[in-house]
Amino acid sequence: MKLATIKNNTRDGQLVVVNRDLTKAIKVPEISKTLQEALDDWDTIAPKLEQVYQQLQNKTALNSFDFDPTQAMAAIPRAYHWADGSAYVTHVELVRKARNAELPETFWTDPLMYMGASDAFIGANDDIKIENEEWGIDFESEVAVITDDVPAGVSVKNAQKHIKLIAIINDVSLRNLIPNELSKQFGFYQSKPWTSFAPVVVTPDELGSAWSDTKVHLPLLSALNSKIIGSPNAGIDMTFNFAQLIAHAAKTRSLMAGSIIGSGTVANQGSPNGSSCLAEVRCLEIIKEGKASTPFMSFGDRIEIEMKDKQGNSIFGKIDQVVKSYKPIC
């Protein structure tokens, strides 16, 4: 099934069930008001949501309405936990190569992960508001999963059953702020503004055979100002699958329902189908030409991120954002 959260003048929005082709939706307050509420009691609530989904598919649902992705908030507008991995080690290897830094062997055996800000996420059509272009504004196209309660010390084998929903996200980075933060042996913090979600999240069964080994085996398309930057396959070269990332995150403590685990920037070895962020594009230029020529994003730039099934249908809807400036209130 497919789920979304739409605006209703509250911080957590209104949970809705969305049909497969993303044209119709229905509110389900009698089942669950928010997605977090549903995840807190998933085994009880999910079957009821599934029943509504089937009614939408069969066109027998009452009180359905046209689904407007511009009214979608992030699926979970604020979450208890957000941890982003760097599962595509080939991407990390490329970045290090561009600055003549050696990649430690442990990067291939032990996942990288950081805890991100989860007090607020933004919707697929919300502006990316940044104060200063000189901070190096970059998009990062990623896949993410949302879990139910995960026990501490969960095995990789058992971790996979805790994956309840799948999403695609734009994990915006401010590249020129990152070096100073990391040089202090801490971070990221200032270099990571709010992350955005595509309009809907889906249960793994919606992906059919494309969901295998807790990886999504489909291209993730990124276009900047209508120019395709890349469409790497998210299932190829993913060194650590989502079960492994969850087990890593839960090594020393349990994860609460509604925890979001990100894949990190989707990348393929050698970037044959382009890249999922401008930092990688620039690294390829440095390696080939000795310097980067592609600028980071500017105010007014538009970033679109989408994943389609093998028939060309949008699975999650499209992230479609414009970078805009804001003036701080002092």
Side-chain angles (χ1 to χ4, degrees), residues 179-192:
N180 285 342
E181 286 202 291
L182 296 188
S183 68
K184 300 173 184 176
Q185 304 299 312
F186 236 40
F188 308 99
Y189 194 85
Q190 291 179 334
S191 51
K192 284 291 185 179

Side-chain angles (χ1 to χ4, degrees), residues 142-209:
E142 303 186 13
V143 181
V145 298
I146 304 174
T147 75
D148 62 3
D149 289 312
V150 180
V154 68
S155 67
V156 172
K157 180 180 178 180
N158 288 330
Q160 59 186 328
K161 68 183 181 183
H162 294 286
I163 298 171
K164 301 305 175 187
L165 296 164
I166 303 168
I168 60 171
I169 62 174
N170 180 14
D171 184 42
V172 177
S173 288
L174 302 176
R175 299 294 185 185
N176 294 337
L177 299 185
I178 289 176
N180 285 342
E181 286 202 291
L182 296 188
S183 68
K184 300 173 184 176
Q185 304 299 312
F186 236 40
F188 308 99
Y189 194 85
Q190 291 179 334
S191 51
K192 284 291 185 179
W194 284 338
T195 297
S196 56
F197 276 69
V200 304
V201 293
V202 309
T203 49
D205 60 291
E206 281 293 320
L207 298 176
S209 61

Side-chain angles (χ1 to χ4, degrees), residues 10-25:
T10 69
R11 289 182 185 268
D12 298 307
Q14 168 69 61
L15 176 66
V16 296
V17 180
V18 184
N19 66 352
R20 184 165 289 126
D21 63 9
L22 309 180
T23 58
K24 294 290 183 179

Side-chain angles (χ1 to χ4, degrees), residues 277-296:
C277 67
L278 295 176
E280 183 172 300
V281 173
R282 290 166 59 87
C283 285
L284 289 167
E285 293 169 344
I286 291 170
I287 293 169
K288 183 179 180 180
E289 303 164 10
K291 64 177 182 179
S293 56
T294 297
F296 289 118

